[in-house]
């Protein structure tokens, strides 16, 4: 099975977020970068499918040059090779633009299965995989909790809302967006990290692949959300705060 | 020119977010000064169409086709695409449901359009539509504008607009059937009937007090601390998704869009950042307490009481004080 796993490099969840001077993005130099967490589950699922059914896992990312480190991480975990579509503009690009780039890279090669995470931790569009399915003319399923290969196709368990699930079958090639928590993600071993240095990582520029970089949606302005409730903040040492909170819960909110 | 709301139903029952989205559509239509149309899709949905027509909307359009009896992304994207081509709306709004996440990006990509997913606000500024989206896991808001010409596409987050803000109309709105062609051979996925996993013994919806843990609990070894607090308060223990994903607590204790929706008297969020997927499951709690180290955590937007501190300092003190 030729499996392509799409990865995004995003600012780490615990990074300090400072709105940039132009108010259109955050200050990049404040961020530590990491593999988008939902994508890590997609990578793990790809590696498990390869271990079971054979084939190859290719890690693909559209991003600035720094995104190569996320592809290397995937190679260290067991992906066979990597493809980076490099352009600084991908850092703030919308889902349609990123999906066009990823689909262009995947579409050049024989592919049986394309996997993405559910959504990104930065923009949170939750669209890249589904757009790719349309651009590559593949059947797809989203929010997938289990993948079984059967009869030249797939049977997957989709998560629906409020504790409901559904099984869906489809032929290959296909695209799946993977729900976080579907598996337990492996760590890279030292040996894996060493091996990753010798694995092929090809870089294309967006220009080489002829990617349309036009934005389909534009951030006008970033700002802190307005609060919907007036939060009373309780300060002091742990003990003081605990006592003050219980006092308020008993006599003010009457919640205890 | 119109605003078209694509409602959602399953098996003849409304998705709860449909009328919230129609309410959003009513506001947008008023701001744009144009009619509001509501589309009802499925097989045998005439009854639902009549219910929608009782609201103050301009028109209800019905796409009734046996190929839409069970949801598939191929079938629904094809149906809505044809509706958009026939009706030529300015703005198409969807509820931000799991189903919409599954087919709307396919539809919009096919049209070469942006999809402003999970919007929490719509405004018209100088004749241009501006949507509010939440970025970086809800820590920042962004005003976003779609490029190019209409139609524009967006989905509306749960709980932003109120379904009860939508008045009933006088006389029922006209209902019109749209002719669409859905070739069953184009539907590539085969869906089976939805099912629920064996229901757990834990019914969080009945709990008066809930102590809920998130990533801030850091390690499964720290779960007993939360258990002790829940016991001292006489409440139930719950968790956000990452905790259940890690297997630190069973899925049946998960609160949020993929877990249970609760509205206890008191909800104590320990080390929970407040991602929307969690918040939709607990924002109905009467009193919300958040204890989190990160003062920028979105959970503080909905908390009545907030303590910006290390939960490992505050929680033991709470347990000690409750035991006194």
């Amino acid at each position: 099975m030729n499996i392509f796993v799409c990865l995004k490099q995003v600012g780490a969840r615990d990074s300090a977020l400072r709105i940039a001077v132009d108010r259109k993005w955050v200050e990049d130099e404040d961020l530590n970068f990491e593999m988008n967490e939902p994508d890590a589950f997609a990578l793990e699922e790809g590696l498990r499918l390869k271990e079971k059914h054979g084939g190859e896992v290719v890690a693909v990312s559209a991003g600035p040059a720094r995104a190569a480190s996320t592809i290397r991480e995937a190679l260290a975990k067991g992906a066979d090779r990597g493809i980076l579509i490099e352009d600084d503009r991908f850092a703030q690009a919308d889902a349609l633009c990123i999906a066009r780039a990823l689909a262009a890279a995947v579409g050049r090669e024989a592919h049986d299965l394309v996997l993405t995470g559910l959504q990104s931790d930065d923009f949170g569009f939750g669209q890249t995989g589904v757009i790719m399915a349309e651009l590559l003319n593949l059947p797809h399923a989203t929010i997938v909790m289990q993948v079984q290969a059967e009869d030249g196709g797939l049977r997957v368990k989709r998560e629906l809302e409020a504790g409901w699930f559904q099984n869906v079958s489809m032929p290959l090639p296909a695209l799946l967006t993977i729900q976080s928590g579907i598996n337990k993600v492996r760590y890279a071993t030292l040996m894996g990290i060493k091996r990753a240095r010798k694995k092929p990582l090809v870089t294309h520029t967006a220009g080489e692949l002829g990617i349309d970089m036009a934005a389909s949606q534009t951030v006008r302005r970033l700002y802190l959300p307005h609060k919907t409730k007036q939060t009373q903040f309780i300060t002091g040492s742990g003990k003081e705060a605990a006592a003050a909170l219980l006092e308020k819960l008993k006599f003010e909110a009457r919640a205890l | 020119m119109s605003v078209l709301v694509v409602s959602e139903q399953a098996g003849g029952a409304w998705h709860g977010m449909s009328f919230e989205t129609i309410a959003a559509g009513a506001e947008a239509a008023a701001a744009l000064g144009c009619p509001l149309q509501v589309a009802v899709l499925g097989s045998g949905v005439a009854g639902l169409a009549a219910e929608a027509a009782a609201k103050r909307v301009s028109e209800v359009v019905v796409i009734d086709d046996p190929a839409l009896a069970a949801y598939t992304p191929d079938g629904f994207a094809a149906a809505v695409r044809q509706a958009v081509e026939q009706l030529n709306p300015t703005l198409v709004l969807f509820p931000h449901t799991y189903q919409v996440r599954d087919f709307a990006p396919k539809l919009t990509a096919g049209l070469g359009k942006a999809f402003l997913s999970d919007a929490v606000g719509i405004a018209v500024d100088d004749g241009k539509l501006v949507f509010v989206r939440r970025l970086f896991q809800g820590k920042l808001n962004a005003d976003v504008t779609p490029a190019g010409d209409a139609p524009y596409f967006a989905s509306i987050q749960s709980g932003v607009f109120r379904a009860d803000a939508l008045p009933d109309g006088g006389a029922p709105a006209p209902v019109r059937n749209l002719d669409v062609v859905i070739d069953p051979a184009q539907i590539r996925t085969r869906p089976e009937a939805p099912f629920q996993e064996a229901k757990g013994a834990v019914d969080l919806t009945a709990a008066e007090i809930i102590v809920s843990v998130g990533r801030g609990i850091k390690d499964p070894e720290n779960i007993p601390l939360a258990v002790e607090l829940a016991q001292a308060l006489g409440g139930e223990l719950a968790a956000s998704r990452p905790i259940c994903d890690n297997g630190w607590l069973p899925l049946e204790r998960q609160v949020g869009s993929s877990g249970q929706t609760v509205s206890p008297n008191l909800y104590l969020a320990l080390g929970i950042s407040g991602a929307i997927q969690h918040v939709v499951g607990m924002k109905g709690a009467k009193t919300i307490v958040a204890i989190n180290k990160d003062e920028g955590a979105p959970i503080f937007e909905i908390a009545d009481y907030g303590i910006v501190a290390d939960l490992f300092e505050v929680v033991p003190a709470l347990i000690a004080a409750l035991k006194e």
Side-chain angles (χ1 to χ4, degrees):
Chain A
M1 212 186 270
N2 292 331
I3 304 167
F4 287 76
V5 182
C6 303
L7 305 170
K8 187 175 192 183
Q9 189 180 61
V10 297
R13 281 174 183 245
D14 55 2
S15 291
L17 294 178
R18 196 154 48 93
I19 295 171
V21 180
D22 69 2
R23 302 191 66 80
K24 298 199 189 296
W25 199 240
V26 294
E27 292 292 354
D28 265 3
E29 64 262 32
D30 294 349
L31 302 178
N32 301 311
F33 289 98
E34 64 182 16
M35 185 185 296
N36 181 46
E37 190 182 89
D39 299 347
F41 291 100
L43 173 64
E44 177 65 36
E45 202 57 27
L47 295 172
R48 288 180 187 210
L49 286 167
K50 176 194 137 179
E51 283 158 8
K52 211 165 163 188
H53 305 288
E56 184 184 48
V57 171
V58 186
V60 194
S61 187
R66 58 169 162 75
S69 65
T70 284
I71 297 179
R72 285 278 172 221
E73 185 186 336
L75 298 177
K77 287 182 172 180
D80 299 283
R81 58 190 174 93
I83 302 171
L84 172 65
I85 310 126
E86 187 189 323
D87 195 301
D88 285 345
R89 290 172 289 179
F90 285 133
Q92 298 176 40
D94 58 67
L96 186 56
C97 178
I98 299 251
R100 279 177 177 146
L102 295 168
V106 173
R108 289 153 58 101
E109 305 199 35
H111 49 273
D112 297 310
L113 182 61
V114 184
L115 302 177
T116 73
L118 188 69
Q119 60 190 30
S120 63
D121 284 348
D122 50 8
F123 265 115
F125 288 119
Q127 301 176 29
T128 303
V130 180
I131 296 173
M132 285 181 73
E134 173 67 15
L135 299 179
L136 292 166
N137 195 22
L138 299 175
H140 77 269
T142 54
I143 322 185
V144 167
M145 285 297 283
Q146 199 178 305
V147 185
Q148 290 170 269
E150 55 167 39
D151 307 332
L154 295 175
R155 184 166 182 256
V156 303
K157 178 177 158 191
R158 286 191 65 213
E159 184 181 303
L160 307 178
E161 287 159 14
W164 286 79
F165 299 90
Q166 178 180 40
N167 289 313
V168 179
S169 305
M170 71 195 76
L172 287 172
L175 183 143
L176 304 175
T177 81
I178 300 295
Q179 172 65 296
S180 298
I182 182 177
N183 51 40
K184 197 156 172 42
V185 171
R186 72 191 66 187
Y187 291 100
T189 60
L190 271 177
M191 184 63 89
I193 293 165
K194 228 171 163 181
R195 281 202 193 117
R197 293 192 197 120
K198 293 196 179 128
K199 289 180 177 173
L201 197 176
V202 177
T203 301
H204 300 293
T205 64
E208 278 165 24
L209 295 183
I211 310 301
D212 177 1
M213 294 297 293
S216 66
Q217 50 184 301
T218 314
V219 172
R220 272 192 176 184
R221 184 171 78 93
L222 271 186
Y223 51 96
L224 289 169
H226 307 293
K227 295 169 73 71
T228 53
K229 263 190 187 175
Q230 201 57 49
T231 309
Q232 282 191 44
F233 282 99
I234 297 167
T235 53
S237 69
K239 203 173 161 189
E240 288 161 1
L245 175 65
L246 290 178
E247 178 82 7
K248 285 185 180 293
L249 289 179
K250 273 181 200 150
F251 300 108
E252 197 174 86
R254 300 190 183 279
L256 288 182
Chain B
M1 183 165 153
S2 69
V3 172
L4 173 67
V5 172
V6 179
S7 66
E8 183 168 323
Q9 60 87 29
W14 289 110
H15 190 292
M17 285 165 66
S18 287
F19 286 95
E20 294 179 13
T21 311
I22 297 171
E27 278 194 25
L32 290 166
C34 69
L36 170 66
Q37 295 171 305
V38 176
V40 182
L41 285 81
S43 179
V45 290
L48 293 180
E51 284 177 32
K55 296 290 176 186
R56 194 177 295 167
V57 302
S58 313
E59 187 182 31
V60 174
V61 294
V62 183
I63 306 170
D64 208 312
D65 193 299
L68 302 176
Y71 165 76
T72 60
D74 288 336
F76 274 58
V80 177
R81 179 172 179 146
Q82 291 173 62
V84 168
E85 284 166 352
Q86 289 179 36
L87 300 169
N88 200 21
T90 307
L91 171 64
V92 184
L93 290 181
F94 300 86
H96 191 67
T97 61
Y98 278 32
Q99 181 168 302
V100 164
R101 289 155 74 177
D102 194 63
F103 81 90
K106 174 181 168 63
L107 163 76
T108 54
L111 294 166
K113 292 286 184 182
F115 179 42
L116 288 284
S117 50
D118 211 6
V120 296
I122 313 173
V124 178
D125 177 26
D126 205 10
K128 281 207 73 143
L129 279 162
V130 181
F131 297 87
V132 184
R133 292 192 72 246
R134 316 208 63 182
L135 267 49
F136 297 99
Q137 319 235 302
K139 287 181 186 161
L140 295 176
N141 275 11
D143 287 349
V144 186
T145 49
D149 299 325
Y152 305 109
F153 296 84
S155 62
I156 303 296
Q157 190 172 95
S158 158
V160 177
F161 291 86
R162 294 182 59 110
D164 57 12
L166 186 72
D168 287 337
V175 177
R176 168 161 58 126
N177 279 298
L178 288 189
D179 285 322
V180 302
V181 182
I182 301 157
D183 177 4
Q186 288 177 339
I187 296 177
R188 297 167 290 183
T189 55
R190 277 195 300 110
E192 297 170 32
F195 62 94
Q196 274 182 305
E197 310 260 85
K199 257 204 149 161
V202 187
D203 181 12
L204 296 173
T205 60
E208 282 295 316
I209 295 176
I210 290 177
V211 173
S212 195
V213 292
R215 284 175 195 271
I217 200 79
K218 283 188 181 142
D219 192 287
E221 286 175 17
N222 298 324
I223 297 281
L225 184 68
V227 174
E228 204 182 341
L229 179 59
Q231 282 168 350
L233 285 163
E236 281 283 0
L237 183 67
S240 66
R241 172 141 204 147
I243 300 302
C244 300
D245 282 350
N246 285 337
W248 297 356
L249 280 173
L251 222 68
E252 64 193 42
R253 294 204 178 262
Q254 183 184 318
V255 166
S257 54
S258 51
Q260 301 191 48
T261 299
V262 299
S263 46
N265 210 13
L266 173 62
Y267 192 93
L268 258 117
L270 307 179
I272 290 178
S273 69
I276 182 63
Q277 296 87 338
H278 183 73
V279 167
V280 294
M282 48 66 76
K283 67 184 172 189
K286 192 155 166 272
T287 301
I288 297 171
V289 177
I291 303 175
N292 199 304
K293 272 207 300 206
D294 177 6
E295 63 178 329
I299 191 77
F300 287 123
E301 281 166 48
I302 57 157
D304 299 279
Y305 300 102
I307 303 179
V308 180
D310 187 343
L311 73 92
F312 298 107
E313 286 174 20
V314 180
V315 173
L318 275 173
I319 294 167
L322 284 164
K323 283 187 175 167
E324 262 174 28

